[in-house]
Amino acid sequence: MASAAQIGDESEFLRTVDAAFQDSDNAVLVAFRVAKSQASWSVAGRRNRLTTKPRVLAITAMRSSSTQKFSVNLQVLKYSSGGLQPAKVYKLKHLTKIEAVPNDNTGCTFVMGFDNLKSQSVAPPQWTMRSLDDRNRFLTCILKLCKENLGRLPKIQGMDVVELALWAQANVKGLPIGSPVQADSVDAERDQKEGKVTVERELLSKAEEDDMEALLGAYLLGIDEAEAFSERLKRELLALEAANVHAILESEPLVEEVLQDLDSAMAGVEEMEIWLGVFNIKLRHMREDIESIESRNNMLEMQVQNNALLVGELYKLLERLHVPSEYAALLTGGSFDEARIPQTVEACDWLASSIRGLEPPILDSTYVNMRAVKDKRTELEKLKSTFLRRASDFLRNYFSSLVDFMITDKTYFSQRGQLKRPDHADLRFRCRTYARLLQHLKSLDKSSLEPLRNAYCHALNLLLRREVSRSSGAWLDGSTSGSGFSGSGSDTATATVSDAYAKMLRIFIPLLVDEVMCHP
């Protein structure tokens, strides 16, 4: 409860605020002392602090002469040397929200948002009330005026609306506004300023007062007449019960008809209950059938997906098991001419990769024991053995025929009186042509190289022996004829033979070592 001094201070404050609007048609409804805080800008152009100034918030109303409606405004007054002066006016119809400042623990600071501000980017000012009662009185007045004059409410954020409603209910007598802004109250304020005298609006009309007095007179009893009032109520209750019983007895035919209708309705309900039981059984069976169908469909869908994946895997396996006809022809019956060696090497690559592809881990272990895989592995092994046999026979014959050709060709050896260094470049070139074929033979079967190595060494040794015998004979003949003797002189012959062996050691032994190192 406010003290007498506070009430007097508030009255003096309202008269001071009302004096600021004596030259206008605005009637002051309520006014509050507040502190206005707004962000200020530093020299660097950044907002860094709040400036606080004392202000007065007043709610005023003014009748519009053209529409006969009231314009409710929120006036901001500032203190000056001449008293309070209006500083800014906000129209209540543009108020959209009232939001509490979260940094204020007292709950007395809030921000009001208006939809007609020119710059929405500028932070709105913050208003701080002196107490929660002042804040609740201000908000309650704002909400009542918006609801009863504008038909809508602003948005409340950060405040307990239930607590605000309880406060308003407890302090309804202390509110300055108990009803909508009426014409008589505002006009009375304006007429008072103009020196006119008017009477306060009657709360009830004369007819309403007469009806209220008649109603109260019918039931008004003294305090000492409580027993009479109780007896009167009992008599009236008995009369009502008797009237109800009489009405029931008079309506017996109707009651019987209603009972018959109820019996027929009960029979219909029982019959419907039987039908519903039948339908429930059928629905349960149908539900079970649907669940069975759904389960079978799910199994079929899973089976279809599994079959699709299985077919895909089988196609991949068939591609891996397929033997191209051109490769099979080259491996089983193709010739080993130098022009067809690249195709033969390509077929060997395919054969080696196919054999490796049918062994784990390249091939899944689940496929290894399949009959098709076993049959295809057997077929590839036959191809491999056939190719190894044909290639080995060809290379053995090729080495021997190549060495025989070189032995019969006299251009490879020294002639009498003309020494010539043995040249195996042609032999190395021809053997290099079949080097990749030898590598594939080694990758397919390492044991197949042993017979080929023996055949190559035998042919090469034959060639070397032939070269040594012809070269030494030519040297001996040349040295004997050039000495000027016909067999006389054992020293001369011995020297010639010694020179021939010395040349053999210097020339043929390094060539032999080189040949062995080039063809291990």
Side-chain angles (χ1 to χ4, degrees):
M1 296 293 293
S3 64
Q6 290 176 343
I7 294 175
D9 183 58
E10 290 295 331
S11 301
E12 181 65 26
F13 172 67
L14 289 176
R15 284 195 295 271
T16 303
V17 174
D18 190 62
F21 296 96
Q22 61 183 357
D23 296 334
S24 64
D25 294 336
N26 289 310
V28 179
L29 303 180
V30 67
F32 300 91
R33 295 185 180 91
V34 298
K36 176 185 176 183
S37 302
Q38 194 160 14
S40 63
W41 299 89
S42 64
V43 178
R46 291 184 294 180
R47 190 171 59 191
N48 55 1
R49 63 188 180 89
L50 294 174
T51 57
T52 304
K53 298 178 181 179
R55 291 289 186 268
V56 174
L57 279 179
I59 301 176
T60 61
M62 180 181 64
R63 180 191 289 276
S64 177
S65 58
S66 60
T67 60
Q68 295 300 318
K69 294 183 178 180
F70 291 93
S71 174
V72 182
N73 298 327
L74 183 63
Q75 304 278 352
V76 181
L77 293 87
K78 65 180 180 179
Y79 294 94
S80 64
S81 59
L84 292 175
Q85 293 183 355
K88 193 172 183 60
V89 180
Y90 298 99
K91 290 186 177 182
L92 196 62
K93 64 180 181 179
H94 295 298
L95 180 63
T96 58
K97 71 172 182 178
I98 301 175
E99 182 179 0
V101 176
N103 297 330
D104 184 17
N105 296 327
T106 63
C108 298
T109 306
F110 56 88
V111 175
M112 292 184 290
F114 297 88
D115 58 2
N116 64 334
L117 294 180
K118 294 182 180 180
S119 178
Q120 296 289 346
S121 60
V122 178
Q126 299 178 3
W127 308 96
T128 304
M129 293 289 182
R130 293 185 300 171
S131 64
L132 283 177
D133 289 338
D134 285 353
R135 188 205 72 175
N136 292 338
R137 288 178 61 220
F138 175 76
L139 294 178
T140 304
C141 294
I142 288 291
L143 294 176
K144 280 182 172 292
L145 290 172
C146 290
K147 181 179 180 181
E148 297 172 358
N149 292 277
L150 302 177
R152 61 175 179 82
L153 293 175
K155 188 176 182 181
I156 304 297
Q157 295 181 353
M159 301 180 187
D160 193 347
V161 182
V162 177
E163 181 182 353
L164 184 62
L166 294 175
W167 183 92
Q169 184 178 3
N171 299 272
V172 64
K173 293 182 179 180
L175 295 177
I177 300 175
S179 60
V181 179
Q182 301 293 336
D184 294 331
S185 61
V186 179
D187 292 342
E189 295 288 340
R190 188 173 65 248
D191 294 343
Q192 185 179 0
K193 294 177 183 178
E194 296 175 357
K196 298 180 181 180
V197 179
T198 182
V199 295
E200 186 178 359
R201 184 180 66 89
E202 296 180 353
L203 297 176
L204 296 175
S205 63
K206 184 63 177 178
E208 291 174 343
E209 288 182 358
D210 295 340
D211 294 338
M212 184 66 70
E213 290 178 358
L215 182 62
L216 293 175
Y219 291 95
L220 185 60
L221 296 173
I223 299 176
D224 55 349
E225 298 177 358
E227 294 181 358
F229 181 67
S230 177
E231 291 295 332
R232 181 179 175 181
L233 289 178
K234 289 180 180 179
R235 289 195 301 271
E236 290 180 358
L237 180 60
L238 292 174
L240 288 175
E241 290 179 351
N244 290 335
V245 171
H246 181 70
I248 291 172
L249 292 176
E250 286 183 350
S251 61
E252 183 178 359
L254 297 177
V255 172
E256 291 180 355
E257 184 179 355
V258 171
L259 290 176
Q260 291 176 0
D261 293 339
L262 288 176
D263 291 338
S264 62
M266 287 296 296
V269 169
E270 291 177 356
E271 184 178 359
M272 184 175 292
E273 185 177 2
I274 295 173
W275 279 106
L276 288 177
V278 174
F279 288 148
N280 283 333
I281 294 174
K282 291 184 178 180
L283 288 176
R284 186 173 65 251
H285 293 167
M286 188 179 297
R287 191 180 300 111
E288 293 175 356
D289 294 340
I290 292 173
E291 291 177 355
S292 176
I293 292 172
E294 287 181 351
S295 62
R296 288 198 297 269
N297 286 339
N298 293 335
M299 293 178 62
L300 289 175
E301 290 179 0
M302 185 180 298
Q303 187 176 359
V304 168
Q305 294 177 359
N306 293 336
N307 289 338
L309 294 175
L310 180 59
V311 169
E313 292 293 330
L314 289 177
Y315 275 122
K316 293 179 181 178
L317 184 60
L318 288 176
E319 291 179 359
R320 187 175 295 178
L321 297 179
H322 176 65
V323 179
S325 58
E326 59 274 14
Y327 291 160
L330 286 172
L331 294 173
T332 56
S335 63
F336 293 96
D337 296 340
E338 295 181 4
R340 301 192 64 179
I341 287 300
Q343 291 84 353
T344 305
V345 169
E346 183 179 355
C348 291
D349 289 334
W350 172 85
L351 180 61
S353 62
S354 297
I355 293 175
R356 288 193 303 270
L358 295 181
E359 298 293 338
I362 298 177
L363 183 65
D364 195 344
S365 58
T366 56
Y367 299 145
V368 173
N369 296 325
M370 291 179 62
R371 187 176 65 181
V373 176
K374 292 181 178 180
D375 294 343
K376 188 56 64 175
R377 190 184 298 112
T378 303
E379 182 181 355
L380 293 178
E381 290 294 337
K382 290 181 179 179
L383 282 175
K384 183 181 76 171
S385 60
T386 303
F387 175 74
L388 289 174
R389 178 178 51 78
R390 293 179 60 252
S392 299
D393 294 343
F394 169 77
L395 290 176
R396 284 198 300 270
N397 296 332
Y398 181 76
F399 291 150
S400 60
S401 61
L402 180 60
V403 169
D404 292 341
F405 172 75
M406 294 179 66
I407 291 174
T408 56
D409 191 356
K410 296 181 180 182
T411 58
Y412 285 97
F413 304 100
S414 299
Q415 301 298 326
R416 179 174 297 182
Q418 182 183 0
L419 295 177
K420 185 177 182 180
R421 181 179 178 178
D423 188 6
H424 295 171
D426 188 47
L427 176 63
R428 285 193 293 269
F429 174 75
R430 292 179 180 273
C431 291
R432 192 178 296 115
T433 303
Y434 294 95
R436 291 189 60 191
L437 184 60
L438 290 170
Q439 292 176 356
H440 282 288
L441 291 177
K442 179 180 178 181
S443 63
L444 291 175
D445 187 6
K446 292 183 179 181
S447 61
S448 62
L449 291 182
E450 188 65 27
L452 294 176
R453 188 181 293 110
N454 295 333
Y456 178 76
C457 293
H458 177 73
L460 186 60
N461 290 332
L462 182 61
L463 177 62
L464 291 176
R465 284 195 299 269
R466 184 64 175 172
E467 287 176 347
V468 170
S469 62
R470 290 199 173 185
S471 298
S472 59
W475 293 338
L476 291 174
D477 292 342
S479 60
T480 302
S481 60
S483 62
F485 298 96
S486 59
S488 61
S490 60
D491 294 337
T492 303
T494 303
T496 303
V497 173
S498 298
D499 292 339
Y501 277 107
K503 289 181 180 179
M504 182 180 68
L505 293 176
R506 288 196 308 269
I507 296 174
F508 284 100
I509 296 302
L511 290 176
L512 180 61
V513 173
D514 183 26
E515 191 71 29
V516 173
M517 294 298 293
C518 291
H519 301 279

